[in-house]
C-alpha cells in the first residue's frame, strides 16, 4: 500500500478513495472466480469522485457531439485540446500557456505548448496523438512557437473551469452506471437527455459508453467511446398504412422521402457521403456508393426535385488564423444517380457562393454570387444570369452596436411549381419579416410584410404559400395564413383548425397541393395531462386549393413533441419516418386524402 501511495501523482491525490476501493473490488472479483462478470460500483462517494476527475469536463469537449470514437484522432481536435486545457486548469498548471492573458481579456487565442498537450494526453488517453499535426478550423499547430493555437471564437469549454457538485446533477447529462470489466477496464455509462426524443412522462436519451483503462499507477485513461441512441417509439394504432420494416437500425442515416417505390437514404462518415437505396415493393435495402467529400471544411445539402436527387456541396478555405472563411466559399452541384449511386456533375457559374433553389424542370437556379450581394437567376439552357435587384442584405453601421438585431434581409427563396415565379423570404434576427413574390418574366415583384415567429416555417404548394406562426402581438398565441399566388393576397386561416402545437411537413418543391399534419386528438391531454406519456395523433391533410383540413382516419400513438419526418409525394402518397434522428418505424400511407 505504501508503494501505491508513492505512485499517485499530485494531481490525482483526491482520487485515492476511488482507487483504493477499485483495488479491493478487483481483488474480490478475481479471488472469487468472477473475473468475467462486470461488477457495478454503486458507492456515491466513488461515483462522485470519478465524475469530478474524468466525466465532468466531457460534455462541452470530447462528448459535445456525443459520437463514437476508437482513437483520439477521431475526436475533433478543438474538443480534445479543450478537454486537456480544462484538466490543466483544475491542476493549477498553467505554465506554458497564455491563460493569464486570456482571463484578463488580453488575448484572442489560447496557445498551449505542444509538449505540454502531449504530456497531459498521456495522462488521460491510452493511445497517442501527435498534436503537431493539427490543422483545422479554430485549432492549429504553430511551428514557430511550437504551440497549438485555439481560437476563442471556437471555444467549447467554459472558462474558468466549472465543476458541478454531483455526478447526477449536471443538466441533461449524467453518469448512470460505472462498471469494472475484465482486464482492469472501467465502463462508464453516460446519458444525455434529448428533448426531441422525450415525452411528458419519459425522457428519451442518447447513451455514450466510455471505456477506461485502470493503469498500473492506479489512474484511469480513456480507451474509446461508443454511442447508443434510444428514442421512444411511436406506433400506428389504426388506419390504412403500409409499414416498411426493412428500413430500420439506421440511426446514422436520413431520408428525403420516396421517389416512386425507392427511398434514398444518406449518411455521413469519415469517408464521405454513403448512399443507400430501399425498395418498397421488393422490401430490400442496399448500399449504392460512398461519395467522397471535396474538403474536410465543407457542408452539403441534399434536395429532391421532380424525382431527381441533387447534392449541393459547399467548401470553405481557411483564413490566416485557421478559422473558416465563410465569405468566399466554393459551391458544387451534382446529381446522385440512384441506379448505381454515381455522381454526375452539373455546370454552374464559377462565382456561385450559395444555391437557394432549383426549379422543378431543372431550367433555372436561384443563387448568389456573393453572400453580401443580390440574389440571381441562372438559366441552365441559355447560360445566362439575371440579377434580382434590391435583395442584398443591408449591413449595420459600424457605430451602431445594436444594428445587427434590427436588420431585415432576404435570406432564402424558392421557385413556384409553375416555374414562373419566385418567393423570396425576408428574415430579421429571430423573426420572419415578410415575403416577396417575384415574376420571372416581367421582373416585377410584390412585397408582403408578414411578421412571423422564427420565420413562420412556410410551406410551398402549387396554389400558394402556407405560413404558420404569424405574430399577432399576443405572446401566448399566433395565427396561420395562406398567401395565394393567383389572387396575390394573404388569407387568415381559421385558428380553430390549427392547434398551437402540431407538426407539418416538407413538400418537395411545392409539387403537391396537400400538406400532411400530425394533430393531437385532445390538445389538453397532448400538452400536459397524459399519464402514459403518449398522445393519440391524427394524420390530417391541409388542401391548399380549398384551404380546408381533412382527416385521413390514420391515427398514431406517440410522445408529445417527438420529431417526425412527413413527406407528401406528387403521386398522392405520404411517407412517414418515426424520427429525424432514426429511420426506424417508417411507413407509407397510400393516397390518404383520396377516399
Amino acid at each position: 500500500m505504501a508503494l501505491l501511495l508513492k505512485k499517485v501523482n499530485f494531481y490525482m491525490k483526491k482520487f485515492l478513495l476511488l482507487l483504493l476501493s477499485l483495488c479491493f473490488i478487483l481483488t474480490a472479483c478475481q479471488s472469487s472466480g468472477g473475473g468475467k462478470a462486470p461488477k457495478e460500483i454503486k458507492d456515491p462517494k466513488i461515483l462522485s469522485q470519478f465524475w469530478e476527475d474524468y466525466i465532468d469536463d466531457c460534455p462541452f469537449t470530447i462528448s459535445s457531439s456525443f459520437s463514437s470514437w476508437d482513437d483520439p484522432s477521431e475526436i475533433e481536435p478543438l474538443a480534445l485540446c479543450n478537454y486537456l486545457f480544462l484538466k490543466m486548469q483544475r491542476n493549477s498548471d498553467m505554465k506554458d500557456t497564455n491563460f493569464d492573458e486570456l482571463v484578463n481579456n488580453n488575448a484572442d487565442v489560447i496557445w498551449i505548448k505542444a509538449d505540454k498537450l502531449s504530456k497531459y494526453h498521456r495522462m488521460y488517453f491510452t493511445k497517442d496523438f501527435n498534436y503537431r499535426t493539427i490543422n483545422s478550423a479554430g485549432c492549429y499547430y504553430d511551428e514557430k512557437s511550437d504551440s497549438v493555437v485555439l481560437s476563442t471564437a471556437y471555444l467549447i469549454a467554459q472558462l474558468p473551469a466549472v465543476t458541478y457538485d454531483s455526478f447526477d446533477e449536471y443538466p441533461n447529462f449524467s453518469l448512470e452506471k460505472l462498471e469494472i470489466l475484465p482486464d482492469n477496464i472501467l465502463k462508464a455509462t453516460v446519458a444525455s437527455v434529448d428533448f426531441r426524443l422525450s415525452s411528458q412522462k419519459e425522457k428519451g436519451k442518447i447513451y455514450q459508453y466510455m471505456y477506461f483503462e485502470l493503469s498500473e499507477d492506479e489512474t484511469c485513461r480513456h480507451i474509446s467511446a461508443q454511442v447508443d441512441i434510444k428514442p421512444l417509439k411511436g406506433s400506428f394504432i389504426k388506419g390504412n398504412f403500409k409499414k416498411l420494416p426493412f428500413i430500420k437500425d439506421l440511426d446514422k442515416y436520413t431520408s428525403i422521402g420516396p421517389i416512386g417505390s425507392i427511398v434514398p437514404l444518406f449518411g455521413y462518415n469519415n469517408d464521405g457521403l454513403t448512399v443507400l437505396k430501399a425498395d418498397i415493393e421488393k422490401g430490400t435495402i442496399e448500399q449504392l456508393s460512398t461519395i467522397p467529400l471535396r474538403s474536410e471544411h465543407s457542408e452539403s445539402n441534399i434536395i429532391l426535385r421532380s424525382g431527381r436527387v441533387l447534392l449541393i456541396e459547399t467548401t470553405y478555405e481557411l483564413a490566416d488564423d485557421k478559422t473558416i472563411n465563410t465569405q468566399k466559399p466554393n459551391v458544387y452541384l451534382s446529381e446522385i444517380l440512384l441506379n448505381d449511386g454515381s455522381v454526375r456533375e452539373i455546370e454552374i457559374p464559377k462565382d456561385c457562393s450559395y444555391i437557394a433553389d432549383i426549379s422543378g424542370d431543372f431550367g433555372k437556379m436561384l443563387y448568389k454570387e456573393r453572400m453580401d450581394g443580390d440574389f440571381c437567376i441562372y438559366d441552365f439552357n441559355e447560360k445566362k444570369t439575371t440579377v434580382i435587384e434590391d435583395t442584398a442584405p443591408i449591413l449595420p453601421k459600424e457605430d451602431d452596436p445594436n444594428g445587427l438585431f434590427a436588420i431585415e434581409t432576404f435570406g432564402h427563396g424558392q421557385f413556384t411549381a409553375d416555374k414562373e415565379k419566385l418567393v423570396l423570404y425576408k428574415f430579421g434576427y429571430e423573426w420572419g419579416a415578410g415575403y416577396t413574390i417575384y415574376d420571372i418574366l416581367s421582373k416585377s415583384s410584390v412585397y408582403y410584410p408578414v411578421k412571423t415567429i422564427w420565420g413562420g416555417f412556410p410551406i410551398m404548394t402549387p396554389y400558394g404559400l402556407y405560413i404558420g406562426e404569424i405574430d399577432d402581438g399576443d405572446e401566448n398565441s399566433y395565427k396561420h395564413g395562406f398567401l395565394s399566388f393567383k389572387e396575390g393576397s394573404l388569407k387568415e386561416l381559421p385558428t380553430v383548425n390549427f392547434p398551437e402545437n402540431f407538426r407539418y411537413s416538407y413538400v418537395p418543391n411545392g409539387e403537391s397541393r396537400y400538406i400532411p399534419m400530425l394533430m393531437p386528438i385532445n390538445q389538453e391531454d397532448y400538452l400536459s395531462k397524459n399519464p402514459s406519456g403518449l398522445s393519440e395523433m391524427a394524420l390530417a391533410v391541409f388542401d391548399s386549393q380549398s384551404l380546408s383540413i381533412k382527416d385521413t382516419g390514420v391515427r398514431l400513438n406517440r410522445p408529445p413533441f417527438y420529431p417526425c419526418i412527413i413527406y407528401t409525394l406528387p403521386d398522392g402518397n405520404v411517407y412517414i419516418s418515426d424520427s429525424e434522428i432514426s429511420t426506424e418505424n417508417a411507413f407509407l400511407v397510400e393516397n390518404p386524402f383520396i377516399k
Side-chain angles (χ1 to χ4, degrees), residues 172-217:
N172 298 328
F173 197 89
S174 61
L175 174 63
E176 301 215 340
K177 183 184 290 188
L178 182 63
E179 301 172 282
I180 299 180
L181 308 181
D183 301 321
N184 288 4
I185 303 298
L186 295 182
K187 177 183 177 182
T189 300
V190 180
S192 175
V193 175
D194 193 319
F195 73 93
R196 297 172 300 174
L197 308 177
S198 301
S199 69
Q200 293 285 341
K201 197 69 176 179
E202 183 181 355
K203 292 181 178 180
K205 297 181 179 180
I206 302 176
Y207 291 91
Q208 188 177 54
Y209 305 115
M210 305 174 71
Y211 294 89
F212 298 82
E213 176 188 76
L214 184 59
S215 305
E216 291 182 1
D217 62 357

Side-chain angles (χ1 to χ4, degrees), residues 10 27 44 118 124 126 130 172 246 282 291 315 319 437 491 587:
F10 75 96
T27 302
S118 298
Y124 291 95
T126 59
N130 186 356
N172 298 328
F246 57 93
K282 296 180 180 179
I291 303 170
T315 65
I437 298 181
K491 299 180 180 179
F587 306 90

Side-chain angles (χ1 to χ4, degrees), residues 15 79 145 166 180 245 285 308 336 343 358 363 395-396 463 495 510 535:
F15 194 42
S145 62
S166 173
I180 299 180
I285 189 167
R308 296 166 69 178
I336 300 175
V343 173
I358 295 171
L395 301 178
Y463 298 95
T495 312
S535 293

Side-chain angles (χ1 to χ4, degrees), residues 113-131:
K113 290 293 185 181
D115 286 341
K116 187 179 186 69
L117 279 169
S118 298
K119 171 188 173 183
Y120 267 79
H121 182 93
R122 289 190 293 271
M123 292 180 186
Y124 291 95
F125 293 89
T126 59
K127 300 174 184 178
D128 289 335
F129 179 73
N130 186 356
Y131 286 85

Side-chain angles (χ1 to χ4, degrees), residues 278-493:
D279 191 309
I280 295 176
E281 293 182 356
K282 296 180 180 179
T284 60
I285 189 167
E286 61 177 310
Q287 178 173 329
L288 293 181
S289 64
T290 297
I291 303 170
L293 299 181
R294 299 174 187 269
S295 168
E296 63 177 322
H297 310 299
S298 68
E299 59 186 20
S300 57
N301 183 29
I302 300 169
I303 60 176
L304 180 65
R305 290 294 178 269
S306 300
R308 296 166 69 178
V309 180
L310 299 179
L311 172 64
I312 301 172
E313 186 176 356
T314 305
T315 65
Y316 301 95
E317 297 178 357
L318 295 183
D320 294 338
D321 62 353
K322 303 299 181 179
T323 58
I324 290 179
N325 185 353
T326 59
Q327 295 303 311
K328 296 181 179 179
N330 298 306
V331 180
Y332 305 90
L333 176 64
S334 55
E335 180 181 0
I336 300 175
L337 305 177
L338 293 182
N339 57 335
D340 59 2
S342 62
V343 173
R344 180 182 69 86
E345 292 194 20
I346 300 174
E347 184 180 350
I348 60 175
K350 293 182 179 180
D351 55 4
C352 174
S353 63
Y354 167 66
I355 297 178
D357 195 25
I358 295 171
S359 62
D361 61 355
F362 288 82
K364 294 179 176 62
M365 176 178 75
L366 180 65
Y367 77 105
K368 279 193 172 190
E369 294 179 348
R370 304 188 322 274
M371 295 306 292
D372 60 351
D374 288 308
F375 274 104
C376 303
I377 300 174
Y378 178 71
D379 191 306
F380 285 104
N381 298 319
E382 298 181 5
K383 309 295 182 184
K384 179 182 176 181
T385 293
T386 302
V387 178
I388 306 176
E389 303 291 346
D390 301 323
T391 56
I394 301 173
L395 301 178
K397 298 179 180 179
E398 293 184 2
D399 58 351
D400 183 4
N402 297 318
L404 177 64
F405 303 99
I407 292 178
E408 293 182 346
T409 186
F410 292 100
H412 187 55
Q414 282 182 283
F415 288 95
T416 58
D418 61 11
K419 301 94 180 174
E420 296 177 357
K421 295 181 179 66
L422 278 170
V423 178
L424 300 175
Y425 305 119
K426 198 171 190 179
F427 298 101
Y429 179 66
E430 288 184 347
W431 65 88
Y435 309 90
T436 287
I437 298 181
Y438 178 84
D439 189 288
I440 297 174
L441 184 61
S442 67
K443 298 183 181 178
S444 60
S445 63
V446 179
Y447 173 61
Y448 298 88
V450 183
K451 188 173 182 180
T452 56
I453 302 172
W454 296 103
F457 307 102
I459 299 178
M460 181 84 74
T461 75
Y463 298 95
L465 192 69
Y466 167 81
I467 305 171
E469 303 188 3
I470 298 176
D471 189 353
D472 61 356
D474 186 346
E475 295 181 357
N476 299 317
S477 67
Y478 47 79
K479 297 179 179 179
H480 304 260
F482 190 79
L483 182 58
S484 171
F485 296 147
K486 182 179 180 180
E487 300 176 10
S489 61
L490 179 67
K491 299 180 180 179
E492 183 178 334
L493 299 174

Side-chain angles (χ1 to χ4, degrees), residues 12-301:
M12 299 303 298
K13 285 182 179 179
K14 60 183 179 180
F15 194 42
L16 183 58
L17 173 63
L18 170 62
L19 302 179
L20 295 176
S21 301
L22 293 181
C23 290
F24 287 128
I25 295 174
L26 282 171
T27 302
C29 289
Q30 293 168 354
S31 62
S32 63
K36 294 184 178 180
K39 178 70 175 181
E40 183 176 355
I41 300 172
K42 298 183 178 181
D43 189 323
K45 292 182 179 180
I46 297 177
L47 293 176
S48 183
Q49 194 66 61
F50 185 84
W51 168 272
E52 182 177 343
D53 288 326
Y54 293 104
I55 307 297
D56 194 22
D57 293 327
C58 292
F60 292 105
T61 58
I62 60 176
S63 292
S64 60
S65 61
F66 236 70
S67 57
S68 300
W69 58 271
D70 294 310
D71 189 274
S73 62
E74 299 174 27
I75 303 174
E76 286 290 335
L78 183 64
L80 189 59
C81 291
N82 268 268
Y83 177 75
L84 298 180
F85 189 52
L86 288 177
K87 295 303 180 189
M88 296 173 195
Q89 290 184 62
R90 296 194 186 284
N91 295 330
S92 300
D93 185 13
M94 290 293 104
K95 184 180 178 182
D96 297 326
T97 75
N98 65 331
F99 180 75
D100 291 339
E101 294 179 2
L102 188 70
V103 172
N104 294 325
N105 296 319
N106 293 326
D108 295 325
V109 297
I110 304 168
W111 59 260
I112 309 170
K113 290 293 185 181
D115 286 341
K116 187 179 186 69
L117 279 169
S118 298
K119 171 188 173 183
Y120 267 79
H121 182 93
R122 289 190 293 271
M123 292 180 186
Y124 291 95
F125 293 89
T126 59
K127 300 174 184 178
D128 289 335
F129 179 73
N130 186 356
Y131 286 85
R132 292 180 173 87
T133 63
I134 293 179
N135 184 23
S136 63
C139 184
Y140 63 96
Y141 171 69
D142 179 61
E143 185 176 1
K144 185 176 180 180
S145 62
D146 192 28
S147 301
V148 174
V149 181
L150 289 72
S151 170
T152 55
Y154 288 81
L155 189 65
I156 300 174
Q158 298 184 38
L159 293 174
V162 176
T163 299
Y164 283 86
D165 295 334
S166 173
F167 66 92
D168 58 358
E169 292 182 358
Y170 198 103
N172 298 328
F173 197 89
S174 61
L175 174 63
E176 301 215 340
K177 183 184 290 188
L178 182 63
E179 301 172 282
I180 299 180
L181 308 181
D183 301 321
N184 288 4
I185 303 298
L186 295 182
K187 177 183 177 182
T189 300
V190 180
S192 175
V193 175
D194 193 319
F195 73 93
R196 297 172 300 174
L197 308 177
S198 301
S199 69
Q200 293 285 341
K201 197 69 176 179
E202 183 181 355
K203 292 181 178 180
K205 297 181 179 180
I206 302 176
Y207 291 91
Q208 188 177 54
Y209 305 115
M210 305 174 71
Y211 294 89
F212 298 82
E213 176 188 76
L214 184 59
S215 305
E216 291 182 1
D217 62 357
E218 307 301 345
T219 61
C220 294
R221 297 189 295 167
H222 290 271
I223 300 174
S224 63
Q226 303 298 323
V227 170
D228 182 19
I229 299 177
K230 294 185 177 181
L232 302 173
K233 302 301 179 185
S235 60
F236 281 87
I237 54 178
K238 66 178 180 178
N240 181 26
F241 63 90
K242 181 178 182 180
K243 186 167 183 178
L244 311 177
F246 57 93
I247 303 180
K248 61 180 181 179
D249 301 327
L250 298 171
D251 293 341
K252 296 182 179 180
Y253 291 85
T254 58
S255 167
I256 59 170
I259 302 174
S261 64
I262 302 300
V263 181
L265 299 161
F266 305 92
Y268 293 93
N269 52 46
N270 293 334
D271 297 324
L273 176 66
T274 299
V275 183
L276 305 181
K277 181 172 71 173
D279 191 309
I280 295 176
E281 293 182 356
K282 296 180 180 179
T284 60
I285 189 167
E286 61 177 310
Q287 178 173 329
L288 293 181
S289 64
T290 297
I291 303 170
L293 299 181
R294 299 174 187 269
S295 168
E296 63 177 322
H297 310 299
S298 68
E299 59 186 20
S300 57
N301 183 29

